[in-house]
């Protein structure tokens, strides 16, 4: 009987390990997000980056307090190459701040969504496209949390990325 119980526990243990081994990168990242969300009491900032092969770019910082978007800061720029061996110079084109009372006044900038909503869009939209006609990307460079979820239609040459790029996630 004792041998049967040991065998049963070994089998159960193997199935439990197999489930963890089958977790996708998204699943692991979502778990990291849930842990961060609990530790930060669902109050954080995250920075969304957008860019073009033609040198234009932007950064939008979204502030979330207790699970609600409360502020958005935006900066757009163009990268100019002054000399061949020097890094490009970032020239500011537009910059603004929205607080709780003024959220949504600007049409530019990243969407006013929480990271819960980002993960939902990633799973149901950006990572759910047809793999035969798109190249799909998912990255977790923010302590295991999402840093990129996007796709590019096959054959597209310039500025075709559809999704999100997040450079930083910080607790408040």
């Amino acid at each position: 009987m004792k041998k049967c119980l040991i065998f049963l526990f070994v089998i159960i243990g193997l199935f439990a390990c197999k489930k963890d081994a089958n977790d996708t990168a998204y699943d692991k990242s979502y778990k990291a997000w849930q842990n961060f969300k609990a530790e930060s009491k669902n109050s954080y900032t995250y920075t969304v980056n957008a860019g073009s092969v033609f040198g234009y770019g932007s950064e939008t910082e979204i502030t979330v307090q207790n699970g609600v978007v409360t502020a958005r800061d935006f900066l757009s720029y163009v990268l100019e190459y002054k000399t061949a061996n020097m890094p490009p110079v970032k020239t500011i084109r537009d910059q603004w701040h929205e607080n709780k009372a003024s959220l949504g006044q600007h049409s530019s900038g990243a969407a006013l969504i929480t990271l819960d909503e980002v993960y939902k869009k990633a799973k149901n939209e950006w990572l759910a496209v047809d793999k035969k006609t798109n190249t799909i990307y998912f990255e977790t460079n923010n302590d295991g949390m999402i840093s990129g979820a996007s796709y590019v239609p096959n054959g597209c040459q310039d500025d075709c990325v559809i999704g999100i790029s997040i450079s930083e996630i910080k607790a408040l």
Side-chain angles (χ1 to χ4, degrees), residues 5-44:
L5 285 175
I6 291 171
F7 179 72
L8 183 61
F9 285 123
V10 169
I11 297 297
I12 291 170
L14 289 174
F15 280 109
C17 290
K18 186 173 183 184
K19 182 183 182 293
D20 288 343
N22 287 334
D23 279 354
T24 66
Y26 175 90
D27 294 331
K28 291 176 186 173
S29 178
Y30 187 75
K31 286 177 185 174
W33 156 239
Q34 291 301 308
N35 290 335
F36 175 85
K37 180 178 165 182
E39 290 171 8
S40 68
K41 296 180 176 43
N42 207 9
S43 296
Y44 55 89

Side-chain angles (χ1 to χ4, degrees), residues 59-79:
E59 301 169 4
T60 307
E61 183 179 85
I62 305 289
T63 301
V64 177
Q65 294 179 327
N66 299 315
V68 177
V69 175
T70 59
R72 180 168 68 156
D73 292 277
F74 177 78
L75 170 74
S76 69
Y77 57 86
V78 63
L79 296 175

Side-chain angles (χ1 to χ4, degrees), residues 88-155:
V89 174
K90 190 184 279 189
T91 303
I92 306 300
R93 298 179 66 214
D94 191 17
Q95 188 171 8
W96 46 259
H97 168 78
E98 293 175 339
N99 60 26
K100 198 169 189 173
S102 61
L103 282 174
Q105 285 186 342
H106 297 89
S107 59
S108 54
L112 291 163
I113 60 176
T114 65
L115 282 176
D116 280 324
E117 294 167 299
V118 168
Y119 271 95
K120 185 176 181 180
K121 284 182 71 101
K123 183 176 185 177
N124 298 324
E125 294 178 32
W126 305 317
L127 303 177
V129 296
D130 185 356
K131 292 178 183 177
K132 293 178 186 172
T133 58
N134 299 282
T135 303
I136 301 171
Y137 300 94
F138 185 74
E139 298 175 346
T140 58
N141 297 326
N142 289 313
D143 293 327
M145 293 179 289
I146 192 169
S147 59
S150 60
Y151 67 92
V152 176
N154 293 343

